Amino acid sequence: MDTFPPVSFLHRLADAASMETLPRFRTTLEVEEKFKPGYRFDPVTLADKEAERVLRELISSEYPEHAILGEEFGETGTGPWKWVIDPVDGTRPFICGIPVWGTLIGLTLEGRSVMGMMSQPFTQERFWADQEAAWAKNKSGTHRMRTRSTTDLPHAILHTNSPERYGEFPEVRFERLRDTVQMTRYGGECYAFAMLAAGQIDLCLELSLQPYDIVALIPIIERAGGVVTGLTGERPEAGGHVLASANEALHERALRTLTS
C-alpha cells in the first residue's frame, strides 16, 4: 500500500478497542504487575491485553503487510508502515476509575509519525490527526484543534504526569521550569497531550517514554500547531524524555530552561 489509510479506519480501531476497555472500566479488575525499569509498580489488566488483541487482528486483516508495535505484545512484521499502539495508555488511572486514560493508535511511515488517534470512550471523546489538520470529536460535534499562542513561560501552563522520577535525571531541570511557569498540573496522562493540542495547556513534559506512549500523539499536536521533540531537539518517535509545546517560540524557551 502506498496511500494512507482512511481516518474511518482509525475510528474502526477505536470502536473495537472501546468494546474491550469500556465494559471493564470502574469494575473490579484483576491486576497483574510487569517489570519496568524505574517504576515500583507497572500494572496490566485484561482490558489492556484484549484491546490490543482486537487492534492487532483488525490491522492484520486490513493491512497484512504492515508492522505492528504494541505495549503488551511487542513488535511483529517489517516494512515502511508501522502501527504503534497502546491499548490503555494510563493503566493506573484506569484502575483508579479516573478517565484520563486513552487508547493510542499511531501510524509511522519510514519511522516518522504520520497519523494518530487518542480515544477516550468514557467521556466519548476522540482526538486525531489526518494529513491536513488535528480534530476533536465530543458530544457537541467535531471541530478543528489549534494550540495556544502563549510564548512567555511566566504565562504558560505546564503539565507533567508525576514529579516523582525527576530526581533520577538531574540533567533535566524540571524545578527551574516549574518555578518559571504560571502553574503546573499533574496526573493527566495522554489526556494532557490532547488538551495541549486543544489549546488548554501550553507545555507537556514527560520522562522515559516508550514509542507507544507518544507516536499517536505527535501528529495530533503538530497538526494543531504545536511542537514535539526530545530534549536535545531530536524527533520524538523513539520516546525518551519528551517535551511538547504549543508553539516554536515557547518550545525553544522551555528547552533552554530545562537543559541550560
Side-chain angles (χ1 to χ4, degrees):
M1 186 195 77
D2 46 7
T3 58
F4 289 89
V7 170
S8 60
F9 184 63
L10 296 181
H11 286 285
R12 282 179 58 199
L13 291 171
D15 288 340
S18 297
M19 294 292 290
E20 301 297 334
T21 58
L22 194 53
R24 295 180 170 96
F25 185 53
R26 294 185 178 173
T27 66
T28 302
L29 288 166
E30 182 178 339
V31 179
E32 301 176 28
E33 186 173 355
K34 302 181 291 184
F35 172 74
K36 188 174 184 179
Y39 291 86
R40 286 189 303 154
F41 177 58
D42 186 31
V44 63
T45 72
L46 192 61
D48 299 79
K49 293 179 178 180
E50 289 302 298
E52 184 165 325
R53 179 185 59 79
V54 299
L55 288 172
R56 286 176 174 271
E57 288 178 355
L58 262 176
I59 293 167
S60 296
S61 65
E62 195 78 19
Y63 301 107
E65 71 278 17
H66 288 192
I68 303 173
L69 171 64
E71 178 173 13
E72 306 309 328
F73 302 120
E75 186 166 358
T76 57
T78 60
W81 297 89
K82 182 191 294 184
W83 295 87
V84 184
I85 55 178
D86 193 343
V88 180
D89 184 81
T91 301
R92 292 174 184 82
F94 185 92
I95 293 167
C96 295
I98 302 169
V100 293
W101 56 276
T103 295
L104 297 181
I105 304 163
L107 179 64
T108 64
L109 175 60
E110 302 288 0
R112 191 179 183 102
S113 185
V114 292
M115 294 181 73
M117 174 173 283
M118 193 283 266
S119 169
Q120 212 313 309
F122 185 78
T123 61
Q124 299 180 40
E125 293 176 288
R126 286 183 186 169
F127 308 88
W128 71 92
D130 56 24
Q131 296 308 292
E132 304 299 328
W135 306 91
K137 181 179 181 181
N138 53 34
K139 295 176 183 178
S140 65
T142 301
H143 62 276
R144 185 170 181 172
M145 291 192 291
R146 294 194 182 276
T147 55
R148 282 159 57 110
S149 58
T150 308
T151 58
D152 295 324
L153 289 174
H155 298 134
I157 298 170
L158 167 67
H159 184 278
T160 191
N161 202 47
S162 170
E164 291 179 352
R165 297 194 62 202
Y166 282 100
E168 301 173 37
F169 304 98
E171 71 277 10
V172 181
R173 309 288 184 85
F174 167 67
E175 294 83 2
R176 291 179 62 187
L177 185 60
R178 180 200 62 196
D179 294 344
T180 304
V181 298
Q182 185 179 67
M183 70 172 181
T184 302
R185 302 299 300 165
Y186 303 97
E189 305 283 344
C190 59
Y191 198 89
F193 283 97
M195 290 300 96
L196 187 147
Q200 301 295 132
I201 294 173
D202 300 292
L203 298 162
C204 289
L205 174 66
E206 296 299 342
L207 297 174
S208 302
L209 297 184
Q210 297 297 317
Y212 45 73
D213 297 318
I214 191 64
V215 162
L217 298 164
I218 294 168
I220 298 173
I221 293 166
E222 290 180 338
R223 308 265 160 74
V227 182
V228 195
T229 73
L231 298 193
T232 58
E234 74 276 16
R235 289 292 306 175
E237 277 85 355
H241 304 336
V242 171
L243 176 70
S245 307
N247 54 72
E248 186 67 44
L250 186 66
H251 195 73
E252 291 177 2
R253 289 178 175 137
L255 283 180
R256 284 199 300 270
T257 302
L258 283 168
T259 60
S260 63

